[in-house]
Amino acid sequence: MLKSIVFLLVLISFITTPTKAYEAYNISSLLVLELQQEEFEKQNILNIEQSNISPLKVNKEKQLKAYEMCSIAISDVEKTHQIKENLMQTIASVESGRYVSSIKKRVAWPWSVHSQGKGYYYQTKEEAIQAVKEMQKQGITNIDVGCMQINLKYHGSAFTSLEEAFDPTKNVTYSAKFLKKLYKRNQSWEKTAMQYHSKNISKGTIYKNKLVKHFAKYIRNDEKTMLF
């Protein structure tokens, strides 16, 4: 009887021990798999964010670099030419600005082109230049380019090439000189801003109101602060 009991206990131990070891192995494997899946999902999300921060799939590093080009150029030129503080930053926001979801901010984009009622944002200067050349081949002359969207039809002679027209510093510098010329005539930054867009009072007023909204919302992030 005793032998039967011992045999039974040994048999039970033999049967249950491997089962517990197997269960422990499975739990450990599942934890590893879960961690691997979690890491994979995090990396996948990161890759998606990096590759889809704009319709053109511009990666984050290049996007920030492009933003800095306009912003730094404008900041320096505003001071050098004694332009009303933040006026050019606001104009750039209206003219070449685009909202970037990854940084939750509207920024001026140097490789931007506007023609026939449509705006285009390119990843590189080379792509933007090529796009303008294609438009010109089609006989299109009314084209705005760069940070400040300088019109090539009326102001293109100020640049020796498209390469120069898209250069952030030269693009912004021409804009500052043009604004200063308008200011000397008007002695009013409000009227100057209106005429930067159009000499037509109605169109100029609409543009001025747009600048005021952009300044409060995107430049100062304070709706109580006025541009003019």
Side-chain angles (χ1 to χ4, degrees):
M1 180 67 178
L2 181 60
K3 289 182 179 180
S4 298
I5 293 173
V6 172
F7 176 77
L8 182 61
L9 289 174
V10 172
L11 180 61
I12 291 172
S13 175
F14 177 80
I15 294 172
T16 57
T17 300
T19 303
K20 289 179 181 178
Y22 177 75
E23 288 175 352
Y25 171 79
N26 274 333
I27 291 171
S28 177
S29 298
L30 287 173
L31 288 173
V32 171
L33 288 173
E34 286 178 2
L35 288 173
Q36 290 177 339
Q37 181 65 22
E38 183 179 351
E39 183 62 30
F40 172 78
E41 289 176 355
K42 285 181 180 179
Q43 187 61 43
N44 193 40
I45 290 171
L46 179 61
N47 290 337
I48 291 172
E49 288 178 346
Q50 289 179 337
S51 64
N52 291 283
I53 56 177
S54 76
L56 296 170
K57 297 184 179 181
V58 183
N59 66 57
K60 188 176 181 180
E61 181 181 351
K62 288 186 177 180
Q63 191 165 31
L64 290 174
K65 184 178 179 181
Y67 158 66
E68 290 171 349
M69 285 181 182
C70 286
S71 180
I72 292 173
I74 292 170
S75 180
D76 292 340
V77 170
E78 269 189 347
K79 294 175 183 177
T80 302
H81 292 270
Q82 298 180 316
I83 306 298
K84 177 179 172 61
E85 186 178 7
N86 289 317
L87 177 58
M88 293 184 71
Q89 295 284 7
T90 306
I91 291 175
S93 175
V94 171
E95 295 290 344
S96 67
R98 61 187 301 196
Y99 182 78
V100 181
S101 60
S102 62
I103 58 176
K104 298 180 180 179
K105 188 175 182 179
R106 185 180 179 87
V107 299
W109 194 259
W111 322 134
S112 58
V113 177
H114 189 275
S115 181
Q116 297 184 319
K118 294 182 179 180
Y120 306 89
Y121 300 92
Y122 297 95
Q123 184 174 352
T124 65
K125 179 194 285 189
E126 290 72 25
E127 289 179 2
I129 290 174
Q130 186 58 40
V132 171
K133 287 181 177 179
E134 290 298 324
M135 292 178 185
Q136 292 175 333
K137 285 181 181 179
Q138 297 172 30
I140 301 171
T141 57
N142 198 356
I143 306 170
D144 301 328
V145 302
C147 299
M148 306 302 292
Q149 291 293 277
I150 306 300
N151 188 279
L152 295 179
K153 181 177 181 180
Y154 299 103
H155 306 279
S157 59
F159 307 102
T160 59
S161 63
L162 287 176
E163 175 80 20
E164 189 173 283
F166 273 104
D167 180 271
T169 299
K170 292 179 180 179
N171 187 282
V172 170
T173 297
Y174 178 78
S175 177
K177 290 179 179 178
F178 184 64
L179 283 167
K180 203 63 181 287
K181 186 186 296 184
L182 291 173
Y183 180 74
K184 286 182 179 179
R185 186 192 335 174
N186 297 310
Q187 292 300 304
S188 164
W189 285 115
E190 186 173 352
K191 288 182 179 179
T192 293
M194 291 169 64
Q195 291 181 8
Y196 182 85
H197 177 70
S198 174
K199 290 183 179 180
N200 180 285
I201 295 177
S202 178
K203 291 181 179 180
T205 300
I206 293 172
Y207 186 74
K208 179 204 70 175
N209 292 337
K210 194 171 183 179
L211 289 175
V212 169
K213 290 180 180 179
H214 272 247
F215 173 72
K217 187 173 182 179
Y218 302 116
I219 307 301
R220 290 299 297 271
N221 194 28
D222 178 8
E223 294 185 1
K224 294 182 180 179
T225 304
M226 299 298 290
L227 177 60
F228 302 110

